[in-house]
């Protein structure tokens, strides 16, 4: 969107499944793309703010965390605000990357939340037995074939489930901490103008999907509105009247 103003607001999209894998033959990943665009926005003195346009169901934990850290570092080092604009979906990793933003705008019908961690797989040993396929496994330790779908259920050691659950719980704890830290930091920067986390917000952090309106009521979102509302908010936070998008 053009403007007579020399000021700029950069729009960075986080759309689709969040992944650290290359998106094309160039070897560039979504994480690389976001980091590079933030770098360019930081080096351009005319850029006054960034809008993170999120439309994602989530994805890889590490990739989401990389983007989260990049946004957090950008705001701290450059002093330029990042405003999250949630589209039709900003769930799980989509909320994770929004959490460090200075301000979060969602539509009432945005699907968000899904704060949690999941790891799943299939056990196909029963099917293998039916067709007469027997696995041959040689391993260096008793846990080397952990999560193998070819093991009989009764062959799975109790410790396997305990270890996997411990990993899930650790990552889940990190997810909740970045939500809490991000929202508290934003509220401090906004001098109380945005929403604060509801006292019972952790009750909603059980993996459930929330509408934008429910997320707003829980303090996970600062404002309800559309794209125009997001742009107006970015201008206001940046302290400018107009800008090129």
């Amino acid at each position: 969107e053009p403007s007579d103003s020399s000021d700029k607001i950069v729009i960075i999209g986080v759309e689709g499944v969040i992944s650290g894998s290359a998106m094309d033959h160039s070897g560039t990943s979504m994480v690389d793309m976001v980091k590079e665009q933030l770098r360019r926005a930081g080096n351009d003195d005319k850029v006054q703010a960034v809008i993170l346009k999120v439309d994602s169901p989530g994805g890889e934990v590490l990739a989401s965390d990389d983007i989260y850290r990049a946004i957090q570092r950008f705001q701290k080092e450059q002093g330029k605000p990042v405003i999250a604009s949630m589209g039709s979906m900003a769930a799980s990793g989509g909320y994770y990357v929004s959490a460090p933003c200075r301000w979060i705008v969602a539509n009432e019908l945005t699907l968000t939340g899904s704060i949690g961690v999941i790891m799943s797989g299939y056990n196909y040993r029963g099917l293998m037995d039916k067709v007469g396929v027997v696995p041959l496994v040689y391993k260096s330790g008793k846990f080397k074939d952990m999560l193998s779908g070819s093991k009989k259920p009764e062959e799975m050691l109790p410790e396997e489930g305990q270890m996997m659950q411990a990993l899930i719980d650790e990552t889940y704890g990190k997810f909740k901490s970045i939500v809490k830290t991000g929202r508290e930091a934003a509220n401090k920067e906004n001098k109380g103008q945005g929403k604060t986390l509801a006292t019972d917000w952790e009750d909603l952090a059980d993996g459930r999907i929330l509408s934008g309106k429910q997320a707003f009521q829980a303090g996970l979102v600062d404002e309800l509105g559309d794209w125009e509302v997001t742009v107006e908010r970015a201008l206001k936070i940046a302290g400018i009247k107009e800008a090129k998008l």
Side-chain angles (χ1 to χ4, degrees), residues 49-243:
V50 170
I51 295 177
L52 191 73
K53 197 172 184 181
V54 184
D55 196 345
S56 170
E60 297 173 10
V61 174
L62 183 57
S64 300
D65 193 62
D66 281 344
I67 293 175
Y68 157 79
R69 290 177 183 277
I71 293 169
Q72 187 182 51
R73 185 166 55 250
F74 171 82
Q75 291 184 120
K76 182 179 180 180
E77 294 178 355
Q78 301 297 334
K80 300 178 182 183
V82 180
I83 293 83
S85 174
M86 293 182 170
S88 60
M89 181 174 289
S92 193
Y95 187 82
Y96 198 116
V97 300
S98 303
C101 293
R102 169 78 176 269
W103 193 276
I104 302 176
V105 180
N107 189 282
E108 285 191 5
L109 301 179
T110 296
L111 296 180
T112 186
S114 190
I115 298 171
V117 184
I118 185 172
M119 179 180 289
S120 61
Y122 295 95
N123 185 283
Y124 43 82
R125 180 57 185 270
L127 177 61
M128 293 173 65
D129 289 341
K130 284 184 178 181
V131 296
V133 178
V134 180
L136 297 176
V137 180
Y138 304 95
K139 55 186 179 179
S140 58
K142 62 180 179 179
F143 296 122
K144 190 59 181 175
D145 62 345
M146 192 164 61
L147 297 181
S148 171
S150 65
K151 292 173 67 172
K152 291 181 179 179
E154 59 268 23
E155 293 175 342
M156 297 180 185
L157 300 173
E159 297 95 325
E160 293 183 38
Q162 293 166 7
M163 285 188 285
M164 294 313 303
Q165 189 59 52
L167 286 173
I168 294 294
D169 291 343
E170 181 181 345
T171 308
Y172 176 50
K174 173 68 182 300
F175 198 159
K176 289 195 293 184
S177 74
I178 71 104
V179 172
K180 186 173 186 293
T181 301
R183 298 304 295 144
E184 288 178 349
N187 190 253
K188 184 178 179 180
E189 286 288 327
N190 297 323
K191 297 179 171 55
Q193 292 184 27
K195 292 283 287 184
T196 57
L197 285 172
T199 55
D200 62 344
W201 76 271
E202 288 193 54
D203 293 340
L204 303 177
D206 57 2
R208 74 181 71 184
I209 294 291
L210 302 172
S211 68
K213 185 176 182 180
Q214 290 172 326
F216 176 73
Q217 293 169 342
L220 295 167
V221 166
D222 289 297
E223 187 174 13
L224 294 177
D226 55 15
W227 175 250
E228 285 71 24
V229 170
T230 304
V231 174
E232 286 300 317
R233 179 59 62 178
L235 290 169
K236 186 174 182 179
I237 291 176
I240 54 179
K241 292 185 178 181
E242 58 179 308

